[in-house]
Amino acid sequence: MNHQKLELIYQGKAKDVYKTDDPEVVIVEFRDDITAGDGEKKDILINKGYYNSIISAKFFEILEASGIKTQYIELLEPGLMLSHRLEMIPLEVITRNIAAGSLLRKFPFHEKQEFTPPIIQMDYKSDEFHDPMINDDIALALGFATREELETIKKTTLKINQVIKDFLARKGIIFPDFKIEYGRNYKNEITLGDEISPDSCRFWDMKTCEVLDKDLFRKGESGVINAYQEVATRILDEEDKEKWNIKD
Ligand code: 5GP
């Protein structure tokens, strides 16, 4: 089928979702907009959408190969991901292997404290309410998911963490934490959506602890796009690099 972007059905802070001629299939466009702090800090970083779509596609492929249901169908071209249409659940599911970021501002953990088992935290995705931390009972009372679905989400998230952490370790990258989002597909199955990219994860170089993610933008540092490119270069195989014209 020749999939083309039709009507815009959702516009987020960094991605747009378009209908296609198949009602169960959408095109997710990764834009170059970058935001932080509930959208208060904004900029445009040329090629950010390009790298994030390629990086997310790679992670989705690895997860699919490990038996995890994702929205991913195919990367049509860098920036445009053909995806299963999902009814998204407004939860940000955050997994933490190492203490960093907001956790250190809210709780008396020490920097780089390691968590075994990892911590799973859920935030309510809402700029209006500033993404407050939520628990199962509040999520249930708000009708976001059933108890069984919340259990599925947590179990799947732990598996995703393990698969990606092990993969990144082989690429010399530490995986301190990440945020993912789920939705329901047309069969009402819990399915991984959104993206897995330097916008939504922390990635640190294993040897130098150099930051390779959006924290550079949050802190106003330079080299943001170079860091995203470095992640792409490390995780893609030669065939992918050739296909997407990524140079080492
Ligand atoms: P923190 O709670 O330290 O701000 O974030 C923990 C992890 O989840 C980081 O990897 C961060 O990138 C991700 N994360 C948390 N909230 C958001 C969000 O609203 N948007 C995005 N893109 N990532 C988030």
Side-chain angles (χ1 to χ4, degrees), residues 91-191:
L91 291 174
E92 298 192 338
V93 185
I94 297 168
T95 307
R96 301 180 185 273
N97 295 304
I98 300 177
S102 73
L103 201 69
L104 295 174
R105 295 194 292 274
K106 291 179 184 162
F107 301 100
F109 292 114
H110 61 82
E111 210 176 336
K112 299 199 177 151
Q113 183 171 340
E114 291 186 25
F115 302 122
T116 317
I119 292 175
I120 294 190
Q121 166 196 335
M122 297 213 194
D123 289 355
Y124 166 40
K125 184 182 166 87
S126 163
D127 283 345
E128 186 191 350
F129 289 94
H130 309 292
D131 296 354
M133 203 181 287
I134 195 170
N135 66 18
D136 284 11
D137 285 350
I138 297 175
L140 280 169
L142 285 168
F144 291 163
T146 65
R147 212 172 274 285
E148 293 71 35
E149 285 177 326
L150 291 171
E151 282 313 309
T152 302
I153 286 172
K154 286 184 217 167
K155 229 173 88 190
T156 309
T157 300
L158 284 175
K159 186 164 178 194
I160 291 170
N161 180 46
Q162 197 63 51
V163 169
I164 296 187
K165 192 156 80 88
D166 291 348
F167 170 78
L168 287 173
R170 296 194 293 274
K171 310 288 177 185
I173 295 176
I174 303 175
F175 196 34
D177 55 34
F178 64 105
K179 181 268 304 178
I180 48 180
E181 296 177 27
Y182 291 90
R184 299 180 190 87
N185 67 8
Y186 73 103
K187 289 191 209 155
N188 218 29
E189 295 164 324
I190 293 292
T191 306

